[in-house]
Amino acid sequence: MKILVCISHVPDTTSKINFTDNDTKFDINGVQFVINPYDEFCLTRAMWFKEKQGATITVLNVGNATTEPTLRKALAIGADDAIRVNIEPKDGLSVAKQIAAVVETGNYDLVLAGRESIDYNGGMVPGMVASLVNYNFVNGCVGVEIEGNSAILVREIDGGNETLSSTLPLVIAGQKGIVEEKDLRIPNMRGIMMARQKPLQVVEPVFAANATEVLSYQKPAPKGAVKLVDADNIDELINLLHNEAKVI
Amino acid sequence: MSVLVFADAANGKFKKSAFEVVSYGKKVADQLGTNLVALTINVSSNEELHKYGAEKVVSITENKLATFNAKAFASIIKQVADAENATIIVLDSSIDTLHVAPLVSVSLDAGYTSNVVALPTSITPFTIKRKVFSNKGFANTVISTDKKIIGVAKNSFGIHENPVSGTVQNMEVSLSAEDFAVKSEKVEKASGKVTIADADVVVSAGRGLKGPENWGMIEELANVLGAATACSKPVSDLGWRPHGEHVGQTGKPVASNLYIAIGISGAIQHLAGVNASKVKVVINTDPEAPFFKAADYGIVGDAFQVVPELITKLKAFKEV
Ligand SMILES: Cc1cc2nc3c(=O)[nH]c(=O)nc-3n(C[C@H](O)[C@H](O)[C@H](O)COP(=O)(O)OP(=O)(O)OC[C@H]3O[C@@H](n4cnc5c(N)ncnc54)[C@H](O)[C@@H]3O)c2cc1C
Ligand SMILES: Nc1ncnc2c1ncn2[C@@H]1O[C@H](COP(=O)(O)O)[C@@H](O)[C@H]1O
């Protein structure tokens, strides 16, 4: 089985978010970049397939050269090789078109991506890729088992789960549950050493116009101070929630 | 030219978000000076949508769609968008719609922006404001394709009545075997529980509760308020509560009217997923807990004393 894991390169979850250049750019000053947490779950699931069922894992990022340390980290976790499509990602649909071109060239059986990237929160790239290459697609996956050409998938729905069946090839957008938190892989020394030798191929982009473009950014309005209520004055809290906030 | 809104339903009944997107779509249609069409799938009483400004409702009835199917839904939205010559498509942010929207975007070659929080701020260029960086920022975004898809963030626009007289029209759509290539085998849902997605009020608890055996009072508080229950990430990682309850940056987003956080410290990753809630109440023993900085109301106190008392007082409040 040939697996492609799409890796988004995103600010660490603790990052302070600021904008520069007249609020037209995200300020990367002092920001640590990491593998998008959802993609990390997917990569760990892919490793499981590799070890238990035999599979090769390619990791892919659409981005400029600054994302290579993130791809190396994915190689250190255990992917076999990496591809970087050399273009600055600006919009979901155009990124999906770049990924689709790689999927078609490489003939992957399974494409794993995250439910959303925690920077732009689009939640769109995996479904778009599936649609572009005409693969089956399941979003918000919290479980996947594959036997030969068939897959059983579990996706999260409002208030529960739905079990689905599909044949390969398939695109899955995964999240926590596809593996457990405690099973996430951390690169070890040997992995890091080996990752240096593994192939990281840079490919030039196909033509794909941007469908959307960010003009400017804004920060949320600052919040007023909290109103503290005494622990033995619950009546006051109920009064505030009813008469002032009007939420109960 | 028209604005098409997909009004999402479950078991034949509209979700609340359906009324929100119809309200939103009506305003956009007015901005553009064009008409609004609402699309529904397997809903019998469509007239309800006239109240929120849908002059025309296109109603699809399809036996094969007793359960949701993303590809088939996407195919229907495309067929109706084509038939109605829709240039703007407005969708909500339900789990099912988020599954469908990217498929529609590709089939219509339409630029899609999700997490949209306000009406378009400009028509040429077509500019909308959406949430980015997990509620830590907004991006004013231009959609430059001829057809455009707007995914409205839950509870960001609200439900606005705008009664019109209108028509309901049935339409035949064609679905192929390929649309059903992914098959639904089984649906498991906790019955009678309010879901985080639907809830106006969410009662959430963290590691401060010490162990799963102490969730009785959390459930009871949620019951009194008609609320959904939620939890912080470590709580679901420890297996105290199901994964589906984990909220935050890497869990479910919460955009309720009221969010009550009990024994949750307010780590940046937790806040990122719950900041979209309108009013936040924090109950925590530690006055230095970061959550107080993000809260509207707070009680510095022990959950094991405050919550039972809150339940008693709320019951009394509800009775009068
Ligand atoms: C990549 C990444 C992603 C993450 N994503 C998420 C996410 O999506 N959601 C999320 O929640 N977390 C997330 N986290 C974890 C986050 O950093 C925090 O560790 C977590 O939110 C803390 O959970 P907590 O507040 O329940 O526990 P703690 O931090 O242990 O806080 C417990 C709180 O309870 C209070 N307390 C103790 N006893 C009582 C009592 N008797 N009454 C009242 N209060 C009491 C304490 O004062 C304390 O403030 C993520 C972390 C990482 C690294
Ligand atoms: N630039 C990118 N390069 C590789 N994969 C990406 C990129 N952007 C998004 N993805 C994948 O698509 C998922 C969802 O991203 P998004 O639609 O941007 O929220 C991510 O979790 C990644 O798996």
Side-chain angles (χ1 to χ4, degrees):
Chain A
M1 182 161 61
K2 280 186 79 177
I3 303 178
L4 181 72
V5 185
C6 303
I7 304 282
S8 210
H9 163 90
V10 298
D12 169 67
T13 54
T14 57
S15 304
K16 294 265 182 297
I17 303 300
N18 289 303
F19 304 108
T20 66
D21 288 28
N22 243 338
D23 286 336
T24 57
K25 281 207 173 68
F26 170 56
D27 185 0
I28 60 168
N29 217 328
V31 172
Q32 280 266 10
F33 281 85
V34 296
I35 299 177
N36 186 39
Y38 297 110
D39 307 355
E40 210 176 336
F41 283 103
C42 290
L43 179 57
T44 302
R45 189 72 187 109
M47 285 302 296
W48 194 94
F49 283 124
K50 175 173 158 168
E51 288 159 4
K52 302 268 165 45
Q53 289 178 247
T56 58
I57 305 173
T58 302
V59 285
L60 166 68
N61 174 259
V62 178
N64 59 31
T66 61
T67 72
E68 287 192 5
T70 301
L71 281 176
R72 287 280 172 213
K73 185 176 171 203
L75 291 171
I77 289 171
D80 299 292
D81 64 341
I83 299 174
R84 179 172 67 80
V85 179
N86 189 26
I87 187 172
E88 175 100 22
K90 290 255 164 78
D91 135 81
L93 191 56
S94 60
V95 166
K97 287 179 181 172
Q98 299 301 339
I99 296 177
V102 172
V103 173
E104 280 178 333
T105 315
N107 250 316
Y108 296 93
D109 304 296
L110 178 65
V111 179
L112 290 166
R115 183 190 81 190
E116 73 174 23
S117 53
I118 64 166
D119 52 1
Y120 291 96
N121 308 110
M124 58 179 75
V125 167
M128 288 171 168
V129 170
S131 219
L132 287 163
V133 300
N134 205 17
Y135 280 22
N136 289 340
F137 172 56
V138 177
N139 202 19
C141 245
V142 293
V144 51
E145 298 295 338
I146 294 176
E147 268 307 316
N149 195 34
S150 334
I152 296 290
L153 305 120
V154 182
R155 81 171 177 113
E156 200 173 82
I157 55 174
D158 282 346
N161 285 324
E162 181 182 25
T163 306
L164 303 142
S165 62
S166 170
T167 52
L168 301 183
L170 177 67
V171 178
I172 293 174
Q175 61 188 54
K176 187 176 95 172
I178 204 164
V179 296
E180 295 302 321
E181 175 83 15
K182 62 176 174 19
D183 296 325
L184 277 180
R185 300 290 174 96
I186 301 158
N188 57 25
M189 211 49 215
R190 189 162 164 271
I192 294 167
M193 299 299 285
M194 279 170 62
R196 295 196 187 136
Q197 315 301 324
K198 289 180 179 171
L200 190 164
Q201 190 195 348
V202 179
V203 302
E204 288 309 313
V206 295
F207 175 77
N210 290 327
T212 63
E213 186 195 351
V214 177
L215 286 185
S216 64
Y217 294 98
Q218 265 167 271
K219 295 237 270 186
K223 241 200 57 56
V226 57
K227 267 195 195 167
L228 287 181
V229 176
D230 225 50
D232 48 27
N233 198 359
I234 302 286
D235 288 324
E236 175 63 6
L237 179 69
I238 293 175
N239 173 37
L240 286 168
L241 292 178
H242 181 62
N243 292 313
E244 188 178 81
K246 300 194 167 37
V247 286
I248 59 169
Chain B
M1 189 174 111
S2 67
V3 174
L4 177 70
V5 174
F6 170 54
D8 197 13
N11 304 319
K13 281 178 83 177
F14 289 117
K15 295 179 184 167
K16 252 182 22 200
S17 57
F19 304 133
E20 184 172 30
V21 286
V22 171
S23 307
Y24 183 99
K26 174 63 181 163
K27 288 274 160 45
V28 177
D30 288 349
Q31 268 182 329
L32 291 166
T34 184
N35 63 312
L36 174 71
V37 181
L39 156 64
T40 72
I41 300 176
N42 288 347
V43 176
S44 48
S45 59
N46 288 287
E47 288 71 19
E48 227 177 329
L49 297 184
H50 299 323
K51 196 157 96 192
Y52 305 98
E55 292 106 7
K56 178 171 176 182
V57 180
V58 173
S59 159
I60 311 290
T61 308
E62 176 55 78
N63 294 334
K64 282 185 269 181
L65 289 173
T67 56
F68 168 79
N69 179 299
K71 207 167 177 185
F73 270 51
S75 167
I76 290 174
I77 295 174
K78 178 184 161 39
Q79 290 175 52
V80 176
D82 287 346
E84 295 295 329
N85 194 13
T87 48
I88 312 269
I89 292 130
V90 181
L91 305 172
D92 70 357
S93 302
S94 75
I95 287 187
D96 288 349
T97 309
L98 291 175
H99 200 161
V100 171
L103 309 180
V104 179
S105 167
V106 168
S107 65
L108 291 174
D109 203 22
Y112 164 43
T113 51
S114 51
N115 290 318
V116 173
V117 294
L119 287 173
T121 48
S122 145
I123 298 300
T124 25
F126 196 87
T127 314
I128 54 86
K129 181 176 172 182
R130 69 191 162 104
K131 290 190 282 189
V132 290
F133 296 102
S134 309
N135 293 319
K136 290 182 248 175
F138 297 101
N140 296 302
T141 306
V142 169
I143 311 180
S144 48
T145 44
D146 294 343
K147 291 178 187 160
K148 302 165 176 71
I149 304 178
I150 301 175
V152 181
K154 186 197 154 195
N155 253 349
S156 61
F157 186 72
I159 296 171
H160 305 277
E161 288 193 15
N162 201 339
V164 290
S165 58
T167 56
V168 176
Q169 197 177 301
N170 297 315
M171 185 177 142
E172 290 291 319
V173 288
S174 65
L175 296 172
S176 67
E178 212 194 297
D179 290 327
F180 294 91
V182 177
K183 286 187 194 61
S184 176
E185 302 286 348
K186 191 168 72 183
V187 171
E188 282 165 296
K189 261 190 190 181
S191 63
K193 270 204 87 175
V194 186
T195 65
I196 294 170
D198 278 342
D200 288 328
V201 182
V202 173
V203 176
S204 187
R207 204 149 51 182
L209 277 241
K210 316 281 189 280
E213 67 282 3
N214 296 325
W215 249 262
M217 63 179 187
I218 301 299
E219 303 227 333
E220 194 180 349
L221 177 58
N223 247 331
V224 177
L225 289 166
T229 50
C231 68
S232 68
K233 177 163 170 286
V235 164
S236 71
D237 289 342
L238 288 162
W240 296 358
R241 298 296 289 178
H243 280 317
E245 282 199 3
H246 155 204
V247 297
Q249 183 163 17
T250 56
K252 275 207 181 68
V254 180
S256 54
N257 287 329
L258 174 61
Y259 183 74
I260 305 181
I262 302 160
I264 300 177
S265 58
I268 191 165
Q269 297 98 346
H270 186 85
L271 296 180
V274 304
N275 264 340
S277 290
K278 300 230 161 72
V279 175
K280 291 175 280 290
V281 175
V282 169
I283 299 168
N284 197 305
T285 39
D286 176 8
E288 301 297 320
F291 216 142
F292 284 114
K293 290 207 178 63
D296 302 281
Y297 303 101
I299 291 184
V300 178
D302 184 344
F304 297 98
Q305 275 152 27
V306 173
V307 175
E309 197 179 331
L310 186 55
I311 292 169
T312 313
K313 297 258 158 110
L314 274 172
K315 279 185 180 161
F317 165 80
K318 295 266 169 185
E319 267 161 28
V320 288

